[in-house]
Amino acid sequence: DQQVKQNSPSLSVQEGRISILNCDYTNSMFDYFLWYKKYPAEGPTFLISISSIKDKNEDGRFTVFLNKSAKHLSLHIVPSQPGDSAVYFCAAAWSGGSNYKLTFGKGTLLTVNP
Amino acid sequence: DTAVSQTPKYLVTQMGNDKSIKCEQNLGHDTMYWYKQDSKKFLKIMFSYNNKELIINETVPNRFSPKSPDKAHLNLHINSLELGDSAVYFCASSLLAGGADTQYFGPGTRLTVL
């Protein structure tokens, strides 16, 4: 049962344009969400996160939006750069109780063309 | 300096063998994790240790046994390797034992069972 879904396996955009990566979740207990970026032959690296008390978090070119009612979040990258080409994983967690684990989506491969 | 390191990076072995993957973190974190990324690209947690104590044990066969000699190390021993164990195994660490805490990943170990 996939609790975190990234329905687009890949996305291709032109350099300088906006990249929008989407993520949906089913578990209403999730209250903390993260995006990780992964280059080939490397481990995932943390990019940006958002708590459920917010609907937007911004860090430079990266902005994450959370729509709790729709159980949907998105990562916006603007402007996109060729170095942004990587697999992006959405992850979710429940910060309370004894559930200490991150649940990951399947990832979306972003290709930014020069 | 590498924050989370794993050895070996690649491991090719025959079915039925026993093998170990080592993980070390120099971040001073209290919690360490093992994840498996299978052929379908899902990153799934296997184990988590906090201060050398097991806190997460997902439904993983008994052939997999994690060992944490100290807070900075979490090794994964696999007995009687099977074809289905072929995957990329990622070690990770976080400061706190909470899903909402940022996890830092190692580069991964690609295990191929022939």
Side-chain angles (χ1 to χ4, degrees), chain A residues 32 36 41 43-44 100-102 106, chain B residues 9 40 58 97 99-100 103 106:
Chain A
Y32 196 74
Y36 279 80
Y100 299 117
K101 60 184 182 181
L102 287 178
K106 209 169 172 179
Chain B
K9 196 166 174 68
K40 294 181 180 175
E58 292 294 286
Q103 294 181 22

Side-chain angles (χ1 to χ4, degrees), chain A residues 8 23 28-29 33 37 52 54-55 67 69 75 78-79 81-82 84-87 91 96 99 104 106-108 114:
Chain A
S8 297
C23 179
S28 56
M29 296 295 291
F33 305 89
K37 175 179 176 179
S52 61
K54 292 185 172 183
D55 53 19
N67 182 333
S69 60
L75 174 68
V78 56
Q81 298 173 355
D84 296 330
S85 298
V87 176
N99 185 359
F104 282 86
K106 209 169 172 179
T108 296

Side-chain angles (χ1 to χ4, degrees), chain B residues 8-114:
Chain B
K9 196 166 174 68
Y10 300 95
L11 185 53
V12 181
T13 188
Q14 298 285 335
M15 260 196 320
N17 284 349
D18 304 337
K19 290 293 178 186
S20 292
I21 308 172
K22 295 185 176 181
C23 178
E24 177 180 1
Q25 54 95 3
N26 62 7
L27 298 166
H29 288 170
D30 285 345
T31 307
M32 296 184 72
Y33 310 80
W34 276 109
Y35 285 84
K36 178 180 179 181
Q37 186 180 31
D38 58 23
S39 57
K40 294 181 180 175
K41 304 302 181 188
F42 281 109
L43 254 176
K44 291 185 181 174
I45 191 160
M46 301 172 68
F47 301 102
S48 175
Y49 271 71
N50 177 248
N51 278 319
K52 301 193 297 175
E53 287 192 22
L54 182 67
I55 58 171
I56 294 177
N57 185 349
E58 292 294 286
T59 310
V60 177
N62 290 337
R63 299 181 296 102
F64 290 79
S65 52
K67 292 229 173 8
S68 181
D70 55 56
K71 278 193 338 181
H73 295 84
L74 181 62
N75 303 322
L76 184 64
H77 188 75
I78 315 170
N79 288 327
S80 303
L81 277 155
E82 300 178 357
L83 292 176
D85 298 333
S86 295
V88 182
Y89 292 84
F90 290 99
C91 176
S93 73
S94 65
L95 183 60
L96 303 171
D101 195 32
T102 301
Q103 294 181 22
Y104 296 83
F105 284 78
T109 295
R110 182 174 291 278
L111 171 65
T112 304
V113 183
L114 304 174

Side-chain angles (χ1 to χ4, degrees), chain A residues 11-76:
Chain A
L11 174 68
S12 183
V13 300
Q14 281 300 119
E15 181 177 6
R17 307 293 284 268
I18 185 170
S19 296
I20 300 177
L21 297 106
N22 292 304
C23 179
D24 297 292
Y25 61 96
T26 58
N27 189 339
S28 56
M29 296 295 291
F30 289 145
D31 60 357
Y32 196 74
F33 305 89
L34 307 91
W35 284 94
Y36 279 80
K37 175 179 176 179
K38 184 183 178 305
Y39 292 116
E42 294 183 13
T45 54
F46 171 73
L47 194 57
I48 192 169
S49 62
I50 188 167
S51 163
S52 61
I53 61 173
K54 292 185 172 183
D55 53 19
K56 176 182 174 182
N57 188 26
E58 195 171 350
D59 183 3
R61 297 185 297 113
F62 302 91
T63 303
V64 56
F65 295 92
L66 175 63
N67 182 333
K68 289 187 292 290
S69 60
K71 294 193 178 71
H72 177 84
L73 62 155
S74 60
L75 174 68
H76 292 211

